[in-house]
Amino acid sequence: MVGSANLNIMMKAARRAGRALAKDFREVENLQVSMKGAGDFVSRADLNAEKIIKEDLMGARPTYGWLAEEGGAEEGQDPTRRWIVDPLDGTTNFLHGLPHWAVSIALEHKGQIVSGVVYDPNKDELFFAEKGTGAWMNEGRLRVSGRTKMIESVFSTGLPFGGRPDLPDTLKELGRVLPGCAGVRRWGSAALDLTYVAAGRYDGFWERRLNAWDIAAGLIILREAGGLAEPMDPNGNIVEDGTIVCANEALFAPLAKLVRG
Ligand code: 2AM
Ligand code: CA
């Protein structure tokens, strides 16, 4: 697929940051002996990846706004467009030497996500989409799964970490979903969770308490692959609220019903 100039800038930035992160990831294992050392090293790797992405994106489009996990928000001269960036989604995996993390870059125009790129350097999988032109992974077109039966379906979610207060609700939710499906996974990168639903690897995904940068790029990839997505509160907004439930067309309603209780 021939993408727009903006998509090409995003893909180039994602690959450049991904290469830098992959190099740092190989060092992480050696640092595990000193937990503090590993944590500081990962923070530096994360910041360095964000710097690379900012150089590429803001260098090419200096008037756009900026919202990123590490660097915060900056209004651009052009108030209608903004980059939404997570340089390293799946930081806990990265820190633990688990090869499941990604770079996530989205472009928002007038409040709508219009393009998204998620790059997993561990598998060299570049997921991308633009509004109206479908979703892709490397050279191939993406499509959500064709499963229709809950009992045959695999879903993904995020579980509360570090003492977050929503554990009781989460356990109730799992109690409703688990008995009727083939399994629930918790892989720790919301950006990759969304692209995996887009690729038909899982049949659906839900999570609360996410940030705009975790979801923005994956969301357009999912939708362009034919997936349905809503915030937990049907009257809310996915990117603003940081909640999402998504699946293929057949499984969306039954999954959303169980998750929402
Ligand atoms: P992050 O790696 O960029 O922080 C998974 O539940 C999502 O929650 C990820 O997209 C992850 O984004 C975010 N998250 C933040 N802190 C986390 C933690 N300690 N453990 C797992 N996920 C975390
Ligand atoms: Ca993230």
Side-chain angles (χ1 to χ4, degrees):
M1 176 207 153
V2 180
S4 69
N6 276 338
L7 186 71
N8 286 316
I9 292 163
M10 293 160 76
M11 294 202 289
K12 205 169 143 237
R15 281 195 186 281
R16 205 157 80 87
R19 272 197 301 273
L21 285 166
K23 199 159 161 260
D24 289 336
F25 186 62
R26 289 193 283 275
E27 295 292 316
V28 168
E29 250 183 1
N30 306 327
L31 296 166
Q32 292 299 347
V33 274
S34 142
M35 284 316 293
K36 171 106 173 57
D40 289 351
F41 180 82
V42 172
S43 303
R44 282 199 300 277
D46 197 355
L47 285 169
N48 181 47
E50 185 165 314
K51 186 167 155 273
I52 290 172
I53 297 167
K54 196 168 188 183
E55 266 169 27
D56 281 9
L57 300 184
M58 296 305 283
R61 299 286 183 263
T63 60
Y64 290 12
W66 176 259
L67 175 69
E69 173 151 28
E70 305 303 326
E74 285 167 30
E75 174 111 353
Q77 267 169 38
D78 175 353
T80 70
R81 289 185 176 81
R82 120 179 127 144
W83 302 114
I84 303 180
V85 173
D86 191 348
L88 174 55
D89 186 58
T91 319
T92 305
N93 287 342
F94 190 100
L95 176 63
H96 286 251
L98 291 163
H100 190 80
W101 45 268
V103 178
S104 173
I105 302 177
L107 177 61
E108 187 188 60
H109 183 215
K110 296 185 176 164
Q112 301 282 321
I113 307 298
V114 291
S115 7
V117 171
V118 173
Y119 181 50
D120 172 357
N122 296 291
K123 301 191 184 66
D124 195 24
E125 290 183 337
L126 184 74
F127 299 88
F128 57 96
E130 285 189 290
K131 211 170 170 69
T133 60
W136 301 75
M137 195 260 281
N138 297 342
E139 310 299 317
R141 189 86 188 243
L142 293 179
R143 181 78 206 155
V144 289
S145 81
R147 280 195 193 81
T148 56
K149 295 192 180 87
M150 288 292 282
I151 197 68
E152 292 172 1
S153 299
V154 170
F155 300 113
S156 174
T157 189
L159 299 174
F161 47 82
R164 289 189 172 205
D166 40 347
L167 183 60
D169 285 344
T170 306
L171 294 177
K172 280 189 210 145
E173 219 166 74
L174 284 170
R176 292 191 296 269
V177 176
L178 279 167
C181 72
V184 172
R185 304 288 182 261
R186 197 277 192 248
W187 281 16
S189 160
L192 287 176
D193 284 329
L194 289 164
T195 62
Y196 279 26
V197 180
R201 293 174 178 174
Y202 329 124
D203 304 293
F205 161 68
W206 80 96
E207 188 162 355
R208 291 191 173 78
R209 293 172 171 264
L210 292 165
N211 292 294
W213 47 79
D214 304 317
I215 319 178
L219 181 59
I220 184 161
I221 296 168
L222 169 85
R223 284 188 162 146
E224 287 292 323
L228 301 183
E230 282 185 7
M232 292 294 171
D233 170 0
N235 301 315
N237 176 292
I238 294 173
V239 176
E240 281 167 25
D241 302 353
T243 72
I244 187 164
V245 51
C246 65
N248 71 25
E249 214 171 304
L251 297 170
F252 179 78
L255 178 66
K257 189 162 182 271
L258 289 174
V259 167
R260 286 172 176 150

